[in-house]
Amino acid sequence: LDEPTSGLDSQTAFSVIESINELTSSNGLTTICTIHQPPVDVFLSFDRLLLLEKGAVVYSGPPAKCEDFFKDEGFQCPPSANPADYYFKVLNEQAELAAEQAQLAAGLMGSPDENNNNNNNNH
């Protein structure tokens, strides 16, 4: 399901997810949802969470264990923060940092064309 809670207040969003959970579990089905900025109760109601960054799996497992995963990586979720918002913020910040580091490394190494020209001039 693509964002089944989009545009809903937190209580209605939780009710929708609760209904989806009841329907799927009573019928032996699996549901995959994309959810953006879920309220805490919605976030914790999922059986399994899959966090992706640029198509790569960052975390896969129960939402309740996500806190330990991020804590082990050096990112402690503040007590007053929505865990989902915090984890997405961390992922975005880390992606930006990695992109900056890649640009810096590319600048230090020069472009492949520059390196080839320098090597050709040295012969």
Side-chain angles (χ1 to χ4, degrees), residues 2 5-6 13 17 31 35 37-41 44-46 50 52 56 78 82 92 98-99 101 104-105 116-117 121:
D2 187 20
T5 61
S6 187
I17 295 300
T31 303
I35 304 286
Q37 297 180 310
V40 175
D41 54 353
L44 294 173
S45 72
F46 292 114
L50 181 66
L52 303 170
N82 176 328
N92 286 331
Q101 289 173 340
L104 179 60
N116 286 336
N117 289 337
N121 292 335

Side-chain angles (χ1 to χ4, degrees), residues 17-41:
I17 295 300
E18 195 173 49
S19 296
I20 291 170
N21 284 341
E22 288 172 11
L23 284 170
T24 57
S25 65
S26 66
N27 291 298
L29 301 172
T30 298
T31 303
I32 298 173
C33 297
T34 56
I35 304 286
H36 294 215
Q37 297 180 310
V40 175
D41 54 353

Side-chain angles (χ1 to χ4, degrees), residues 68-92:
D68 291 336
F69 170 80
F70 276 87
K71 185 174 160 184
D72 290 347
E73 295 296 318
F75 302 100
Q76 176 68 48
C77 183
S80 61
N82 176 328
D85 289 341
Y86 177 74
Y87 303 142
F88 289 122
K89 179 182 176 214
V90 168
L91 291 177
N92 286 331

Side-chain angles (χ1 to χ4, degrees), residues 93-121:
E93 288 173 353
Q94 292 304 302
E96 288 174 11
L97 180 60
E100 289 171 9
Q101 289 173 340
Q103 286 180 332
L104 179 60
L108 291 174
M109 294 173 18
S111 70
D113 290 336
E114 288 175 9
N115 289 335
N116 286 336
N117 289 337
N118 290 337
N119 288 337
N120 291 336
N121 292 335

Side-chain angles (χ1 to χ4, degrees), residues 9 12 15 34 38 42 48 54 63 66 82 99 102 106 112 116-117 121:
D9 63 80
T12 305
S15 294
T34 56
V42 169
R48 188 166 183 96
K54 297 190 182 211
C66 196
N82 176 328
N116 286 336
N117 289 337
N121 292 335

